[in-house]
Amino acid sequence: MFGEFTITILVFGVIADLRASILGSKILRVNVDEHADWQLLQSSQWRGQMEKVLLFAEKSDISLVLENPPHRVNGSLENIKQILDVLPSLKLTFDTGNWMIAGEHPATALHLFAEEIGYLHLKDIRFMGSGGYDHCQPGLGGF
């Protein structure tokens, strides 16, 4: 069940080495997708694995940032806050459009997470009549 995390740590190490030698990036974004098992994300075993990844990132001079997902459950203010509270060295990729898709107002999220933001992804969302949405430039959607 947790074998994927071992693979993730190994892949993270390779990415970090590539970053250091080629890319020069100081930030690595990770996601919690809409299909993530919320019970798994709350487990001590998951936290332990993520703490290892965060320690590796710190030693590699990389900020690991979690992007708020475009999902009403996993992208809720409450759930993102729970993850950041148990992993204080994890920062937030603040994605304005994803907050809107998750049913949260970006200004509310900004007020709540101002100290945890490690990267800003500024985009807007245009909601379609069919219940779908489209990404668009800031100011051309609902933000």
Side-chain angles (χ1 to χ4, degrees):
M1 177 171 149
F2 289 95
E4 292 178 37
F5 291 113
T6 302
I7 293 169
T8 300
I9 291 171
L10 292 173
V11 169
F12 183 80
V14 170
I15 290 171
D17 288 344
L18 284 173
R19 188 266 334 145
S21 62
I22 299 170
L23 302 176
S25 176
K26 297 284 187 191
I27 298 172
L28 181 61
R29 178 180 57 97
V30 296
N31 290 320
V32 172
D33 75 23
E34 63 187 75
H35 304 293
D37 179 349
W38 195 252
Q39 288 181 331
L40 174 64
L41 296 176
Q42 293 175 320
S43 73
S44 60
Q45 194 163 9
W46 181 81
R47 282 194 310 273
Q49 293 296 322
M50 284 302 298
E51 286 168 353
K52 290 177 188 176
V53 171
L54 287 161
L55 182 60
F56 185 90
E58 184 179 329
K59 289 179 180 178
S60 301
D61 196 29
I62 298 172
S63 291
L64 196 62
V65 292
L66 173 73
E67 183 169 356
N68 55 295
H71 187 260
R72 290 194 177 268
V73 175
N74 290 347
S76 71
L77 293 171
E78 178 184 344
N79 287 345
I80 296 299
K81 183 166 180 13
Q82 284 179 12
I83 291 174
L84 295 176
D85 283 350
V86 298
L87 296 168
S89 60
L90 181 64
K91 295 300 179 187
L92 179 66
T93 295
F94 189 91
D95 187 317
T96 54
N98 285 359
W99 286 121
M100 294 169 54
I101 296 166
E104 306 286 3
H105 196 286
T108 303
L110 179 62
H111 179 72
L112 182 63
F113 296 116
E115 298 299 318
E116 286 87 11
I117 296 172
Y119 185 80
L120 176 64
H121 184 181
L122 185 61
K123 72 179 179 205
D124 211 339
I125 298 296
R126 185 180 304 121
F127 289 99
M128 312 302 240
S130 63
Y133 61 88
D134 193 18
H135 296 88
C136 59
Q137 297 172 351
L140 298 180
F143 180 49

